[in-house]
Amino acid sequence: MPQITIDGKKCDFAPGQMIIQVANANGLTIPQYCYHDALSIVASCRICLAEVWQPNPRNNNALEAIPKLVPTCQTACADGMVVYTDSPKAVANQKAVMEYLLINHPLDCPVCDQSGECFLQDYSYEYGRGQSRFEETKVKNPKKDLGPHVYLYADRCIMCTRCVRFTREATGTAELLVQGRGNKNEIDVFPGIALDNELSANVIDLCPVGALLDKDFLFTQRVWFLKETPSIDGLTASGDNITVHHNDGKVYRFKPRTNMAVNKWWITDEVRYSWKHVHGDQRIAAPVRRQFGVPIESDWMRAYRDAITGIRRAAEKGGRLALVVSPMLSCEDAYWLGRAALKLDPRATLAIGPVPRDGQDRTYPVGAKETDPKAFKVYAEKAPNARGVKRVLEALVQSENTGAAIVAFDAFVTACKSGSVAAAIVAGNYPSDWITDELARAVEGRFIVAIDTLRNRLTAAADIVLPGAVWLEKAGSFENARGLIQAFEQAIPPVGIAKAEGQIGLDLLAILSGIGPPVEPTQTVVMNEDKRGQVPDATRIAAPVGRLFNAADTRGEMAGLSGAMSAFATEVRTPVVEIVQEPDMQVVEL
C-alpha cells in the first residue's frame, strides 16, 4: 500500500483518504473542530493546518514543501508525502487559531455543562497561548431555545457548522442555518421551524464546545464524576450501541457509541431518553405476596415458596402452567425462566410477550435508501429482543422434549380464557403500562406470579409480585432486527432488592432442588468502574439462593442446546472500550 509519514510515523493509506483520516486511524493527534467522519468537509476551523512536503515528479521525486500550510482534513494523501503538525509554522498557526477562537468566547467553564469534555479546554491547554492579548469588549450573543431537547448558548459557538451539516446531510430536515456575518455569525433555526426531528439531540454530541446543550442534562452533574459503561439500546429492535453515563447508582444520560454495522454514529432521541422509567416512582423494589387477600411486602424466600406452592396447587386442579417471557428481557433471562417453568411443569406453555410497534420503519436522511452506507434506520418495533427470546424458548422446548409448547401471546390469552391455563408466570419489564383490558380479564381466577419492574394492573391483581431488573441493572445479550446478537454489561445496581430475571429463574431451580435459604438475605457487592482512578461503588443487593447469575457463563451453557444456539458461543459481539490515560506531566522513572 502507499505510505505517508505523519510526524515521523509511517502510515499506510487507501487512495482518496485525507491526511486527518489516516492520522485518526493510526492514533495520531491532529487538532480538529469542524471535521467529522459522517459529515462533508468544509475546512473552516483551520486548526488542523499542517506543513506538508511531497515528491515532485518533475524533480526526480525530490521532496518539496508546499509553500503554505494546508488543511489536513481536505488534503488527500499522496505516496511519499511527509506531514508535520509540530513544525514551527504549524504550531504558530495552532496558537493563532486558538487565540482567535477565544477572543469572544466567554469564561463560562465553571458553569458550562461541556466543561471536562470540551475541545476548547483541551486544545487551549495543548495548543493555545498562555495569555490573551485581547483587551476589547467581548461580543455577547443570546441564548436560544432551538427545540424540545436543545439549548443554544450562541456566545460559546465557534461556527464549526457541524450541527448545520448534520441537519442537512444526516437527517435531511435542514432546520438549522448560519445567519449574520463576521463576529455576528450565529446558528439559528428557520422561522417557525423547531429542531424537532427524531435524531435532533445528536447535535449536542457533535458540538465540540458548550454551545449546544441538552435540556435534560443541564446543570445536573459534572462530567468528571460520571462513570461510563458500554451498553445496548434496551427499547427498540435496532440494537443501537450506547454508553451509559451514571454516578452513585443513578443514570444521568445516554451517549451514542459508534458501530458502523448497527447505528453508525447516532442514536434516536427516543433511545437517548429511554432511561427515565429506571428511576421512576412506579418501580417495584421488593417482593409482594398476598396474605388474607391483602398484598404485603415480603422477603424473597417467602415469596418464592408461596409462588411454588400456589403453582402446584393450581396444577392439581387441572390445567397447565404458562410462562410469558417479555421481548424486553435478555436471552439469558429467557433461558433461566424457561428452565424454571419446565422444572415446575414439564408440559408448560411458553409464550413470547406482546411486541409493541409504533408506525412504520423510517430511514434518514429523509428519502435515502436503506442500502446507503450512511443511512440510519429507525425501527417501528419497540422491543430489543423478540428474536432472541424466540430463539431461546424454541431451543429449550426442543432440548427438553417433554410436551411443552411455544405459542404466540394471543394464543396464551385464548388459553387463559378457555381454562387450560391454571397458573401463569408473567414477566413484563416494559417501560410503560402494557396490560390490556383483554389480558386483565383473561388472567382473572388464575394463580399469577408477576415478574415486573413497574406497577401496573397485573401486579396489582397478581398473587405474587417479584421485582425484576431493567437491562441497565444486569448483564445479558439482545438479538436485534438484523439478527445480530450483542452483549451488554451491568451499569448500575438494581433498585431496592430487585433481581435480574435470570437470577429469579436460578433461585427457583435451586429451591426446587432442595437448596435452603441464604445465610444473609442481602450481601455487599462492589460495582466495577470503567474509569481508572475512580473509587468503585459498593452497594447492598439481594443475595442469591443458589448459583449467582452470570450472563457469560449462561451463554456458554446455552450454546450447547442446539445448532441454533451455537451463535451464543461464536457470534455474540461484546463491547470493547479502550481506557486511555494521559498524564498532564512527564513521568520519569527513578
Side-chain angles (χ1 to χ4, degrees):
M1 292 184 68
Q3 282 191 332
I4 184 174
T5 303
I6 304 175
D7 291 339
K9 180 177 179 180
K10 292 187 179 295
C11 306
D12 295 335
F13 68 90
Q17 274 191 303
M18 303 299 162
I19 296 172
I20 205 168
Q21 293 171 341
V22 177
N24 292 343
N26 286 273
L28 300 173
T29 302
I30 296 179
Q32 52 199 275
Y33 285 118
C34 64
Y35 176 79
H36 191 279
D37 288 333
L39 306 175
S40 59
I41 299 172
V42 293
S44 63
C45 74
R46 315 307 288 176
I47 198 171
C48 73
L49 299 187
E51 187 176 347
V52 175
W53 295 58
Q54 64 181 18
N56 186 348
R58 292 174 295 181
N59 191 17
N60 296 324
N61 285 329
L63 282 177
E64 292 184 4
I66 297 178
K68 62 179 181 179
L69 297 178
V70 299
T72 55
C73 62
Q74 210 174 41
T75 303
C77 297
D79 193 17
M81 182 181 283
V82 179
V83 180
Y84 299 98
T85 67
D86 54 1
S87 69
K89 288 171 64 177
V91 169
N93 170 75
Q94 292 160 3
K95 292 184 182 297
V97 170
M98 283 306 306
E99 185 177 23
Y100 167 73
L101 292 178
L102 291 172
I103 279 177
N104 289 310
H105 196 83
L107 296 174
D108 280 352
C109 297
V111 296
C112 179
D113 272 346
Q114 193 82 356
S115 183
E117 52 186 7
C118 173
F119 285 14
L120 267 181
Q121 285 182 330
D122 295 341
Y123 291 168
S124 178
Y125 177 76
E126 295 177 29
Y127 306 104
R129 297 179 181 273
Q131 60 186 11
S132 173
R133 295 176 293 177
F134 187 72
E135 297 179 354
E136 287 73 19
T137 303
K138 291 179 180 288
V139 173
K140 300 292 183 183
N141 289 318
K143 299 178 178 66
K144 300 176 183 178
D145 187 345
L146 299 185
H149 302 300
V150 184
Y151 272 134
L152 170 64
Y153 283 61
D155 52 0
R156 299 175 185 168
C157 180
I158 62 170
M159 299 306 299
C160 70
T161 70
R162 279 185 175 188
C163 55
V164 177
R165 284 176 283 149
F166 172 81
T167 58
R168 297 181 182 183
E169 300 166 14
T171 66
T173 50
E175 299 97 335
L176 297 181
L177 77 155
V178 178
Q179 70 168 10
R181 296 179 67 84
N183 63 6
K184 290 297 184 181
N185 259 10
E186 293 180 29
I187 302 295
D188 208 339
V189 292
F190 283 93
I193 302 176
L195 180 58
D196 190 15
N197 60 69
E198 290 187 276
L199 305 177
S200 67
N202 285 287
V203 299
I204 300 163
D205 306 322
L206 281 173
C207 185
V209 296
L212 295 172
L213 297 178
D214 190 343
K215 288 182 180 180
D216 185 71
F217 185 69
L218 199 66
F219 307 136
T220 59
Q221 187 79 181
R222 280 309 201 179
V223 298
W224 50 82
F225 293 135
L226 295 175
K227 289 85 173 177
E228 300 175 12
T229 304
S231 189
I232 304 297
D233 158 27
L235 183 69
T236 74
S238 176
D240 293 349
N241 287 212
I242 60 174
T243 301
V244 182
H245 291 219
H246 55 95
N247 185 29
D248 290 335
K250 183 180 178 181
V251 177
Y252 284 92
R253 65 180 181 182
F254 285 172
K255 290 281 192 178
R257 188 160 48 87
T258 303
N259 187 328
M260 299 305 295
V262 183
N263 57 303
K264 311 294 191 296
W265 305 269
W266 325 119
I267 56 174
T268 62
D269 294 351
E270 180 183 34
V271 170
R272 186 182 297 268
Y273 304 110
S274 62
W275 54 270
K276 296 296 185 177
H277 67 286
V278 174
H279 306 297
D281 296 335
Q282 297 301 311
R283 278 301 300 271
I284 306 171
V288 175
R289 62 184 179 85
R290 288 194 176 272
Q291 183 169 303
F292 305 114
V294 179
I296 61 170
E297 280 198 4
S298 168
D299 62 88
W300 275 102
M301 283 305 297
R302 182 66 183 271
Y304 282 145
R305 285 169 176 163
D306 284 4
I308 292 170
T309 301
I311 290 170
R312 284 175 170 169
R313 285 178 181 172
E316 290 172 0
K317 299 176 182 177
R320 290 187 175 189
L321 168 67
L323 169 67
V324 178
V325 181
S326 165
M328 312 301 291
L329 299 185
S330 69
C331 297
E332 297 80 359
D333 290 331
Y335 176 75
W336 288 118
L337 286 178
R339 287 278 306 273
L342 294 176
K343 183 77 171 179
L344 283 163
D345 182 359
R347 301 183 306 113
T349 298
L350 308 182
I352 302 170
V355 180
R357 291 189 64 86
D358 180 17
Q360 300 295 322
D361 294 348
R362 299 168 296 283
T363 302
Y364 288 94
V366 175
K369 294 183 179 179
E370 191 177 331
T371 54
D372 190 316
K374 291 188 177 181
F376 182 90
K377 185 174 181 180
V378 179
Y379 285 86
E381 184 179 322
K382 304 305 178 186
N385 199 35
R387 292 154 189 80
V389 168
K390 182 179 179 182
R391 182 197 293 252
V392 171
L393 295 184
E394 286 177 348
L396 269 176
V397 169
Q398 182 181 357
S399 64
E400 296 290 337
N401 196 23
T402 56
I406 295 180
V407 299
F409 182 72
D410 292 341
F412 159 74
V413 174
T414 302
C416 287
K417 292 178 179 177
S418 68
S420 60
V421 171
I425 301 174
V426 183
N429 214 322
Y430 293 88
S432 58
D433 189 0
W434 62 283
I435 307 302
T436 62
D437 293 336
E438 185 182 18
L439 175 60
R441 289 193 297 268
V443 298
E444 286 181 358
R446 310 288 177 267
F447 184 85
I448 302 297
V449 178
I451 306 174
D452 218 327
T453 54
L454 301 178
R455 297 183 185 91
N456 51 49
R457 283 183 289 173
L458 185 64
T459 60
D463 298 278
I464 304 292
V465 178
L466 303 178
V470 300
W471 88 103
L472 300 174
E473 300 168 345
K474 59 191 174 186
S477 59
F478 291 146
E479 182 176 352
N480 69 1
R482 299 179 177 91
L484 188 66
I485 304 174
Q486 301 179 99
F488 56 91
E489 294 299 325
Q490 180 180 0
I492 58 176
V495 169
I497 56 171
K499 290 184 178 183
E501 287 79 355
Q503 186 64 64
I504 293 173
L506 278 166
D507 288 352
L508 289 172
L509 286 169
I511 294 171
L512 292 171
S513 301
I515 295 177
V519 177
E520 293 287 341
T522 61
Q523 64 182 22
T524 301
V525 295
V526 176
M527 301 296 296
N528 291 326
E529 303 296 355
D530 293 314
K531 280 193 173 181
R532 295 178 184 174
Q534 293 275 5
V535 177
D537 294 331
T539 187
R540 300 285 293 180
I541 64 169
V545 176
R547 174 176 154 192
L548 181 65
F549 172 66
N550 183 289
D553 291 347
T554 300
R555 288 194 290 272
E557 186 173 325
M558 289 160 56
L561 283 182
S562 65
M565 299 288 278
S566 61
F568 288 100
T570 59
E571 298 178 16
V572 176
R573 298 195 180 188
T574 55
V576 177
V577 179
E578 295 183 2
I579 301 175
V580 179
Q581 279 188 299
E582 295 183 3
D584 59 358
M585 63 182 69
Q586 185 178 4
V587 179
V588 180
E589 282 194 29
L590 299 178

